[in-house]
Amino acid sequence: GQSLEQPSEVTAVEGAIVQINCTYQTSGFYGLSWYQQHDGGAPTFLSYNALDGLEETGRFSSFLSRSDSYGYLLLQELQMKDSASYFCAVRGTGGFKTIFGAGTRLFVKA
Amino acid sequence: NAGVTQTPKFQVLKTGQSMTLQCAQDMNHNSMYWYRQDPGMGLRLIYYSASEGTTDKGEVPNGYNVSRLNKREFSLRLESAAPSQTSVYFCASSERLGSTDTQYFGPGTRLTVL
């Protein structure tokens, strides 16, 4: 089967850097994705890693280590608008089903 | 470009009633998905359609049926609603069932079953 683990909550200060970790178990592996969801809103795609290493998109970066079945999302120069839930998602080669983690709620304080 | 649209936005049903949730995308995507999200939880895949004319079960298909009407539209039907189906339902689409798996989500339908 497939499963993902990520922390339920993280709190950080405006302007700081925060890292949200995700560990996964999957039969086969295509890649790890990250989505952001504000309260009452729809998930929006942030980043995708298929290979080991760091992918950078503006203030957001995502890292993957396939050998450790581990990835993280790094948010820099935190802003109040970054307060949201962040989901990691994985699709294994055992089927075309994307499995989402339960989400990490990020609180950014002034 | 509207992206992914869903109707209705809100719905209240009584146990045993039926309804169809509509979803349409204007991005010429091949693959479409239906998810449910319960409070404090991630998204769980109900059904998906890899391409026009095909549908497959996801993690939690029981109590639901789907129709891929054409390339643009993918509907979700609850034949006999139950309180356990109270949830937020999201439709999503992606260019194809490929390795990048970037999915674009609609605004969601908030369903309450009494």
Side-chain angles (χ1 to χ4, degrees):
Chain A
Q2 299 181 130
S3 65
L4 297 97
E5 282 191 23
Q6 53 182 129
S8 58
E9 280 186 15
V10 172
T11 300
V13 177
E14 198 174 14
I17 299 172
V18 72
Q19 178 174 313
I20 299 173
N21 299 320
C22 175
T23 57
Y24 61 86
Q25 276 190 312
T26 182
S27 51
F29 181 79
Y30 267 137
L32 185 71
S33 302
W34 289 93
Y35 287 80
Q36 179 192 60
Q37 185 180 31
H38 287 98
D39 282 349
T44 56
F45 174 80
L46 289 177
S47 69
Y48 174 80
N49 295 71
L51 303 174
D52 287 359
L54 193 68
E55 294 281 342
E56 297 180 72
T57 309
R59 295 188 296 114
F60 293 2
S61 303
S62 57
F63 172 82
L64 176 66
S65 168
R66 295 171 65 122
S67 59
D68 295 324
S69 297
Y70 163 76
Y72 66 72
L73 180 70
L74 192 73
L75 295 82
Q76 302 182 69
E77 300 171 18
L78 279 174
Q79 302 175 9
M80 298 299 288
K81 68 178 182 179
D82 296 329
S83 292
S85 293
Y86 293 84
F87 296 90
C88 57
V90 66
R91 188 164 73 86
T93 55
F96 293 112
K97 305 169 190 177
T98 298
I99 304 297
F100 283 77
T104 298
R105 179 113 181 158
L106 172 63
F107 296 94
V108 180
K109 301 191 300 185
Chain B
N1 244 5
V4 180
T5 56
Q6 293 182 235
T7 55
K9 286 189 168 51
F10 299 93
Q11 184 70 49
V12 178
L13 292 177
K14 293 181 180 176
T15 297
Q17 287 185 316
S18 62
M19 79 161 296
T20 300
L21 281 64
Q22 306 286 354
C23 173
Q25 52 91 8
D26 63 1
M27 295 175 282
N28 201 34
H29 284 171
N30 289 302
S31 302
M32 297 185 74
Y33 315 81
W34 276 105
Y35 292 91
R36 62 176 288 173
Q37 185 175 35
D38 299 309
M41 295 183 68
L43 297 143
R44 290 185 291 169
L45 183 64
I46 304 171
Y47 271 93
Y48 66 98
S49 170
S51 60
E52 187 179 355
T54 69
T55 61
D56 283 288
K57 295 178 181 179
E59 289 178 272
V60 288
N62 291 344
Y64 305 95
N65 283 301
V66 291
S67 295
R68 183 75 183 266
L69 303 169
N70 47 55
K71 191 171 186 180
R72 289 188 63 246
E73 298 172 287
F74 189 37
S75 64
L76 178 73
R77 182 159 178 85
L78 287 70
E79 291 291 352
S80 179
S84 60
Q85 294 179 304
T86 294
S87 190
V88 180
Y89 291 84
F90 287 101
C91 176
S93 70
S94 65
E95 189 173 339
R96 59 182 175 87
L97 272 179
S99 58
T100 58
D101 199 30
T102 302
Q103 297 185 26
Y104 298 84
F105 286 81
T109 294
R110 282 143 186 84
L111 175 67
T112 301
V113 183
L114 302 175

